[in-house]
């Protein structure tokens, strides 16, 4: 998976809602969150209660940009025998509406928070945990 710094403009894939413009979703700019890569630094910390479980539910309710292949967790996969990859893997993204922006995160973002101590940007966590969001 390609690494993108948090809160940078989304440019990864074509958008399901507005073909031809990957940077917009539902009429708002899309920002990257959680596109982590081995050897790249990322924010670590203790997440708010229920963040991980809410993100896990969102992989079922907010899933977009399904791909053909699977991405393995770069930290877990490196410990596994490469000819028989097992463990956390993802093949889509989740999208979350924020205040005037949307956030695009890889499906593995919940795993990164839970298993590797990733602490997403505050504005993303607030959007995920917003009482207005339906999960």
């Amino acid at each position: 998976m390609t690494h993108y710094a948090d809160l940078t403009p989304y440019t990864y894939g074509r958008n399901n809602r507005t073909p031809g413009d990957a940077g917009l979703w539902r009429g708002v700019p899309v920002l990257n969150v959680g596109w982590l890569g081995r050897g790249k630094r990322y924010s670590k910390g203790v997440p708010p209660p229920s963040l991980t479980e809410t993100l896990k539910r969102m992989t079922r309710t907010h899933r977009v940009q399904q791909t053909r292949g699977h991405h393995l967790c770069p930290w877990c996969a490196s410990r596994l025998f490469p000819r028989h990859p097992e463990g956390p893997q993802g093949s889509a993204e989740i999208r979350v509406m924020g205040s005037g922006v949307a956030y695009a995160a890889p499906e593995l973002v919940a795993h990164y928070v839970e298993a590797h101590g990733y602490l997403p940007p505050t504005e993303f966590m607030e959007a995920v945990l917003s009482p207005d969001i339906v999960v």
Side-chain angles (χ1 to χ4, degrees), residues 3-116:
H3 170 266
Y4 295 103
D6 283 345
L7 304 179
T8 58
Y10 176 86
T11 59
Y12 181 69
R14 295 188 62 82
N15 189 298
N16 289 334
R17 303 269 181 199
T18 51
D21 190 354
L24 293 177
W25 187 68
R26 295 188 181 181
V28 298
V30 181
L31 302 178
N32 295 307
V33 171
W35 295 88
L36 309 182
R38 192 161 175 80
K40 302 286 186 177
R41 291 179 181 251
Y42 60 89
S43 176
K44 292 185 178 184
V46 178
S50 77
L51 180 68
T52 301
E53 291 308 313
T54 303
L55 287 170
K56 286 179 183 179
R57 284 192 304 276
M58 289 179 131
T59 63
R60 294 183 301 276
T61 60
H62 290 68
R63 186 181 175 95
V64 298
Q65 301 292 86
Q66 177 66 49
T67 63
R68 289 183 182 195
H70 285 89
H71 166 74
L72 300 172
C73 170
W75 296 279
C76 294
S78 67
R79 289 178 269 187
L80 301 171
F81 187 69
R83 296 181 68 204
H84 300 288
E86 297 174 11
Q89 46 183 296
S91 63
E93 300 173 8
I94 64 168
R95 295 278 170 94
V96 182
M97 289 299 293
S99 180
V101 298
Y103 301 99
E107 185 176 20
L108 284 174
V109 69
H111 169 73
Y112 295 155
V113 170
E114 182 175 52
H116 302 293

